Amino acid sequence: CSSTHNGATGLTAIEGGMLSAAQCLVSGNGRVGIVAKDGRSAVSLVECTARDNGRIGVGARGQGQLEAVRCVIVNNQQSGVVAKDAGSKVSVVDSQLNDNGRYGLS
């Protein structure tokens, strides 16, 4: 799959949504590549690439959960991976976090 050049976010799990993606390219989105946006939402990524997004490659906020396995998360304007807000959970396994604007993982 691919999700590119969207105005805000490429892929979003919200309001209890569960999103799984394998071998997807998510790039050039205005703000965030992929996000789990609240406490009941979860994202699972395997062998995905999140690159060249306007702010963040992948992240969890509002107690969302995100797992990235064997992913390439590079060249995003601010951070590669973000866990924002208390209770948000991020797991990154065997992945590349390179050349992001500020942080690889924050």
Side-chain angles (χ1 to χ4, degrees):
C1 72
S2 67
S3 181
T4 63
H5 304 288
N6 295 291
T9 304
L11 303 173
T12 303
I14 191 168
E15 296 180 7
M18 304 294 183
L19 186 151
S20 291
Q23 299 177 341
C24 287
L25 170 63
V26 180
S27 70
N29 296 292
R31 293 187 181 181
V32 178
I34 305 164
V35 65
K37 223 169 179 182
D38 63 41
R40 299 178 320 244
S41 299
V43 171
S44 174
L45 306 172
V46 177
E47 297 177 355
C48 291
T49 298
R51 63 176 169 83
D52 303 314
N53 293 291
R55 292 187 184 168
I56 297 164
V58 301
R61 62 180 298 176
Q63 299 180 348
Q65 297 182 32
L66 180 133
E67 178 182 54
V69 178
R70 294 184 307 277
C71 292
V72 176
I73 304 167
V74 297
N75 203 38
N76 297 288
Q77 292 296 312
Q78 290 183 358
S79 297
V81 180
V82 171
K84 183 177 180 185
D85 305 320
S88 296
K89 296 178 184 175
V90 170
S91 173
V92 179
V93 178
D94 194 24
S95 296
Q96 297 176 32
L97 308 175
N98 301 318
D99 299 319
N100 295 291
R102 297 174 92 183
Y103 307 103
L105 176 64
S106 63

